[in-house]
Amino acid sequence: MAVRVIPCLDVDSGRVVKGVNFLGLRDAGDPVELARRYDAQGADELTFLDISASSSGRETTYDVVRRTADQVFIPLTVGGGVRTVEDVDALLRAGADKVGVNTAAIARPQLIAEIAQRFGNQVLVLSADARRVRPGGESTASGFEVTTHGGRRGTGIDAVEWVQRAAELGAGEILLNSMDADGTKDGFDLELIALVRAVVQVPVIASGGAGAVAHFAPALEAGADAVLAASVFHFGDCTVGEVKADLRAHGLPVR
């Protein structure tokens, strides 16, 4: 199957922002304009993450999704602050094709099964914000732990064991966010990708660390089915088309 290249729009109060390790956020533009740009460049999908995820910002997110769905015709995944089956229903009605869950699923894993049973596995993306266990932190078998609240809170839960459980409960895809690599532009966390690939059969989307065209192929060769990036696209380091051309040169199938 063709690998996918997915721009990610981190949305805060209706604007796209980007930082390093989820800190030092700066404005990156209007989400609908960026969505149109990436659609024209040949993006396979788009992911919106509502990073503020407050109740006051939720309607803003619905509006962004509605306006984007009117403008582009590639699949949209929306995540951030999704806590209930009703939240998923509202986002799908606004125009999302898939919905990401993270913090609420860690607090109550049965939410994954409830969403999958109502809407189907193909709708549900498990967003896992993983990082290496900090010195002095609670050790895990893989050396990685899953975090919550935008990577700010460690859980002590083994990240690899968590994504395996989530897939068993009904998650149709794993959006694997490396919190250590996020925004650094030093490349994807290949060790983390390989560990997760070894325990799940569902598609894995690698996220965090892309800084150059050359960084994408190694993530796919490590076991990812798709690659997701934000600032490298937003600030003009490379285009979706350039990434796809490099993947073809590596013998990887692209659309």
Side-chain angles (χ1 to χ4, degrees):
M1 292 183 62
V3 299
R4 290 168 288 153
V5 179
I6 307 172
C8 181
L9 309 179
D10 295 317
V11 179
D12 184 10
S13 301
R15 297 289 293 179
V16 176
V17 296
K18 191 57 189 168
V20 177
N21 304 131
F22 278 36
L23 300 173
L25 300 177
R26 58 175 171 151
D27 188 90
D30 175 75
V32 180
E33 290 180 7
L34 286 173
R36 277 199 297 262
R37 178 200 303 174
Y38 297 138
D39 188 23
Q41 287 181 8
D44 299 300
E45 298 181 13
L46 288 171
T47 293
F48 291 124
L49 298 178
D50 175 5
I51 64 169
S52 55
S54 64
S55 57
S56 60
R58 177 56 67 199
E59 184 52 43
T60 301
T61 301
Y62 293 150
D63 180 61
V64 169
V65 173
R66 289 186 196 104
R67 289 189 291 122
T68 303
D70 285 341
Q71 296 288 326
V72 302
F73 301 97
I74 53 178
L76 305 177
T77 298
V78 183
V82 175
R83 299 177 179 87
T84 66
V85 169
E86 289 71 29
D87 289 338
V88 176
D89 184 63
L91 286 168
L92 294 174
R93 290 177 184 276
D97 297 283
K98 294 184 280 189
V99 176
V101 295
N102 183 355
T103 300
I106 293 171
R108 194 173 69 84
Q110 188 59 26
L111 176 64
I112 297 171
E114 292 169 1
I115 295 169
Q117 288 164 9
R118 178 162 173 184
F119 302 106
N121 301 54
Q122 76 284 352
V123 162
L124 179 54
V125 179
L126 188 282
S127 182
D129 294 339
R131 71 182 183 192
R132 284 173 173 78
V133 175
R134 299 290 189 261
E138 186 175 344
S139 63
T140 66
S142 69
F144 291 87
E145 69 172 332
V146 68
T147 66
T148 63
H149 300 82
R152 294 185 291 277
R153 298 185 190 177
T155 65
I157 298 170
D158 188 295
V160 177
E161 292 177 1
W162 166 238
V163 297
Q164 183 177 21
R165 184 182 180 196
E168 291 168 352
L169 285 167
E173 286 188 306
I174 306 297
L175 173 51
L176 185 61
N177 307 307
S178 169
M179 305 312 300
D180 299 315
D182 176 71
T184 64
K185 296 189 177 184
D186 292 332
F188 292 93
D189 191 324
L190 305 183
E191 179 187 1
L192 177 61
I193 295 167
L195 286 170
V196 169
R197 173 76 286 156
V199 300
V200 300
Q201 300 299 313
V202 299
V204 175
I205 305 166
S207 170
V213 167
H215 289 155
F216 290 86
L220 294 160
E221 292 164 348
D225 301 276
V227 280
L228 178 147
S231 53
V232 69
F233 293 139
H234 301 339
F235 301 120
D237 297 275
C238 62
T239 67
V240 171
E242 289 168 345
V243 170
K244 287 192 170 187
D246 186 71
L247 297 182
R248 281 192 200 94
H250 282 79
L252 292 161
V254 297
R255 293 187 176 97

